[in-house]
């Protein structure tokens, strides 16, 4: 009995020293396997760890030459999930490849299966399966804790990266707007997460002209934000050389197509406004149609132009539309995060409700208009959780 206690203590000491030495997971698994076979004298050992409820992976033996499968299929996972106490493998319905082992021992912690250990013995030698469970539990909990700590560190690093990306993205949005004495502007910008794929810009050309742009990258989060940052830089670089709307859209499409390779796309509304002529020209490249309200005219949906950027090169078609006598007018541009908000009955706010809102409230100052629109959306949706980025760009031309 004393010999067995000494062996158990040596095995426990070996494992705890390895854990305290802060060895990595692979090293811990190797020492655990050595302890089972070297100290506890099992003829062979295998361990499958539960990475997730539907994922049970082989950790030992680590040799690629092993005939055991690297992962348990659905049938084997279910059979293992039903094993809560040590049982002889021969009494289970596990495939014959596992029948070379004598015992399968579950490792349970806080009612959660961390792993199942397969053990081979030398004949009928007395074995202490309860100690095997205890020893295995110590090792597997230590490995689980390492995984959780690593995940926490990764999450903290990601949060720092997102905070930095959010700061950079907000810096990229226009802080000074040209021609503020000639038109009024109100903007609402809310990414789905810390960063998003929506973008807007107002670019002054000269004393009488400006460009207005609103865009939306398919997708959300950091990837969409980085793509949009590249798009904004490209737009600013192109505008330094040309103000011709078709040239701008064609060049943007080429750049987006080369960078995205068809995996995503960008919708864009790009408009050129001449204050002296009261004239607006625009191209809508697959974006939700902005609304234009001019006194004495019905509300217009600005939908003509082309398809989304990044899917075809060259663009299959392109049309520039020009609207004369755009004065005392309200322009509302937005991204799909606004009209696709829905209520508890899964009804979307939608374009029709947005147009009706404009007809009722077009007379409001732009700041009041945007605030009233947000209140209207919230009443309809009962304070919905945003499921997408949302940007609203409201201009009034005097």
């Amino acid at each position: 009995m004393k010999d067995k206690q000494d062996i158990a203590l040596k095995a426990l000491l070996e494992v705890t020293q390895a854990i305290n030495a802060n060895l990595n997971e692979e090293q811990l698994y190797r020492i655990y396997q050595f302890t089972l076979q070297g100290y506890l004298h099992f003829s062979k050992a295998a361990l499958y760890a539960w990475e997730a409820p539907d994922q049970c992976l082989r950790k030992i033996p680590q040799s690629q030459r092993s005939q055991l499968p690297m992962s348990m299929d659905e049938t084997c996972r279910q059979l293992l999930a039903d094993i809560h106490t040590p049982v002889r493998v021969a009494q289970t319905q596990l495939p014959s490849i596992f029948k070379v082992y004598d015992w399968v021992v579950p490792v349970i912690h806080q009612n959660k299966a961390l792993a199942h250990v397969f053990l081979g013995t030398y004949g009928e030698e007395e074995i202490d399966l309860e100690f095997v469970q205890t020893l295995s539990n110590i090792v597997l909990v230590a490995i689980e804790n390492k995984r959780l700590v690593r995940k926490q560190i990764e999450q903290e690093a990601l949060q720092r990266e997102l905070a930095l990306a959010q700061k950079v993205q907000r810096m990229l949005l226009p802080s000074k707007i040209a021609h503020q004495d000639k038109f009024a502007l109100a903007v609402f910008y809310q990414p789905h997460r810390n960063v998003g794929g929506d973008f807007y810009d107002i670019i002054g050309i000269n004393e009488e002209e400006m460009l207005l742009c609103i865009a939306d990258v398919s997708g959300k989060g950091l990837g969409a934000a980085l793509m949009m940052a590249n798009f904004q830089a490209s737009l600013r670089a192109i505008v330094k050389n040309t103000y011709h709307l078709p040239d701008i859209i064609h060049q943007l499409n080429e750049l987006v197509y080369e960078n995205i390779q068809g995996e995503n796309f960008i919708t864009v509304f790009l408009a050129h406004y001449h204050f002296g002529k009261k004239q607006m020209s625009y191209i809508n490249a697959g974006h939700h149609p902005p609304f234009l309200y001019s006194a004495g005219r019905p509300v217009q949906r600005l939908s003509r132009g082309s398809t989304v950027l990044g899917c075809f090169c060259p663009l299959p078609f392109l049309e520039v539309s020009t609207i004369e006598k755009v004065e005392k007018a309200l322009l509302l541009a937005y991204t799909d995060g606004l009209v696709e908000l829905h209520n508890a009955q899964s009804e979307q706010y939608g374009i029709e409700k947005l147009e009706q809102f404009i007809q009722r409230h077009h007379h409001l100052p732009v700041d009041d208009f945007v605030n009233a629109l947000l209140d209207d959306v919230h009443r309809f949706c009962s304070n919905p959780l945003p499921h997408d980025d949302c940007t609203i760009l409201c201009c009034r031309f005097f």
Side-chain angles (χ1 to χ4, degrees):
M1 178 64 69
K2 186 176 180 181
D3 288 342
K4 287 186 176 295
Q5 288 179 341
D6 288 343
I7 290 172
L9 287 174
K10 288 180 180 179
L12 189 60
L13 180 63
E14 182 80 17
V15 166
T16 53
Q17 284 180 335
I19 293 171
N20 291 335
N22 200 28
L23 301 181
N24 62 38
E25 294 175 25
E26 182 178 341
Q27 291 170 316
L28 285 178
Y29 279 126
R30 290 188 184 280
I31 289 175
Y32 171 70
Q33 183 178 15
F34 172 79
T35 303
L36 290 176
Q37 296 181 252
Y39 283 102
L40 301 182
H41 302 298
F42 288 102
S43 60
K44 49 184 166 288
L47 179 141
Y48 282 83
W50 290 89
E51 300 287 326
D54 59 349
Q55 189 179 39
C56 191
L57 304 180
R58 192 189 81 205
K59 299 299 182 179
I60 60 172
Q62 296 175 321
S63 170
Q64 297 298 319
R65 296 190 300 272
S66 172
Q67 295 181 351
L68 292 177
M70 287 300 300
S71 61
M72 291 285 187
D73 60 26
E74 184 177 356
T75 301
C76 290
R77 290 198 304 269
Q78 185 57 53
L79 291 171
L80 286 180
D82 293 335
I83 297 175
H84 304 290
T85 58
V87 63
R88 287 191 176 274
V89 178
Q91 297 174 353
T92 71
Q93 296 181 352
L94 289 166
S96 58
I97 193 171
F98 294 101
K99 298 297 175 67
V100 296
Y101 295 90
D102 298 297
W103 293 90
V104 55
V105 180
V107 183
I108 310 294
H109 180 69
Q110 296 180 349
N111 298 319
K112 173 187 175 184
L114 299 182
H116 281 77
V117 186
F118 291 85
L119 298 170
T121 61
Y122 293 103
E124 296 298 322
E125 182 180 349
E126 183 181 351
I127 57 175
D128 188 348
L129 293 178
E130 185 177 352
F131 178 72
V132 171
Q133 282 184 301
T134 301
L135 187 69
S136 302
N137 204 297
I138 292 171
V139 174
L140 269 296
V141 168
I143 291 174
E144 179 77 1
N145 288 339
K146 283 179 177 289
R147 188 180 297 115
L148 291 174
V149 169
R150 185 172 63 249
K151 185 176 181 180
Q152 181 180 357
I153 292 173
E154 290 172 352
Q155 286 293 325
E156 290 173 353
L158 177 60
Q159 289 301 319
R160 289 193 295 269
E161 290 179 7
L162 286 174
L164 179 59
Q166 181 184 31
K167 183 177 180 181
V168 170
Q169 187 174 48
R170 296 230 174 234
M171 289 172 62
L172 291 174
L173 295 175
S175 56
K176 294 182 179 180
I177 305 297
H179 303 305
Q180 281 285 263
D181 58 329
K182 297 181 179 180
F183 79 111
L185 175 70
V187 177
F188 173 80
Y189 173 79
Q190 179 177 294
H192 173 59
R193 300 185 179 95
N194 289 334
V195 292
D198 283 4
F199 162 74
Y200 69 91
D201 204 353
I202 310 289
I203 304 173
I205 298 174
N206 52 45
E207 292 299 320
E208 292 294 332
E209 299 172 271
M210 74 171 188
L211 288 175
L212 180 150
C213 180
I214 187 169
D216 185 6
V217 173
S218 62
K220 306 177 184 69
L222 187 57
L226 292 173
M227 196 180 306
M228 189 51 78
N230 183 55
F231 177 85
Q232 182 197 22
S234 300
L235 173 63
R236 287 275 177 166
I238 293 169
V239 169
K240 288 181 179 179
N241 298 315
T242 180
Y243 306 128
H244 189 233
L245 294 185
D247 289 345
I248 296 173
I249 289 295
H250 278 303
Q251 290 185 52
L252 286 172
N253 181 63
E254 290 176 6
L255 290 168
V256 173
Y257 185 83
E258 291 174 0
N259 292 334
I260 297 178
Q261 296 294 320
E263 295 182 4
N264 298 84
F265 59 86
I266 298 179
T267 67
V268 182
F269 174 81
L270 183 65
H272 171 275
Y273 186 76
H274 195 292
F275 290 96
K277 297 178 181 179
K278 306 295 183 184
Q279 181 189 76
M280 176 184 290
S281 298
Y282 76 87
I283 294 175
N284 188 331
H287 198 78
H288 268 284
F291 290 96
L292 180 66
Y293 177 87
S294 296
R297 297 181 186 177
V299 177
Q300 295 177 262
R301 298 185 186 182
L302 309 184
S303 58
R304 296 179 179 178
S306 187
T307 187
V308 298
L309 305 189
C311 290
F312 305 97
C313 192
L315 289 169
F317 62 94
L318 185 64
E319 178 183 1
V320 180
S321 297
T322 300
I323 305 171
E324 306 291 346
K325 297 182 180 179
V326 180
E327 55 184 331
K328 297 182 180 178
L330 183 78
L331 174 69
L332 178 67
Y334 56 94
T335 56
D336 56 7
L338 174 66
V339 292
E340 292 179 1
L341 286 169
H342 56 268
N343 60 18
Q345 290 74 43
S346 297
E347 299 170 330
Q348 288 189 349
Y349 186 76
I351 295 176
E352 299 300 330
K353 288 185 178 62
L354 182 57
E355 183 171 348
Q356 293 167 9
F357 178 88
I358 295 170
Q359 291 170 340
R360 296 194 307 268
H361 300 91
H362 59 80
H363 60 280
L364 293 175
V366 288
D367 289 318
D368 295 339
F369 179 92
V370 171
N371 290 331
L373 174 57
L374 293 172
D375 289 342
D376 192 59
V377 172
H378 289 160
R379 278 193 300 270
F380 174 80
C381 300
S382 301
N383 295 318
L385 291 174
H387 66 283
D388 201 353
D389 307 323
C390 181
T391 301
I392 302 171
L393 195 66
C394 183
C395 301
R396 185 179 297 281
F397 300 102
F398 304 140

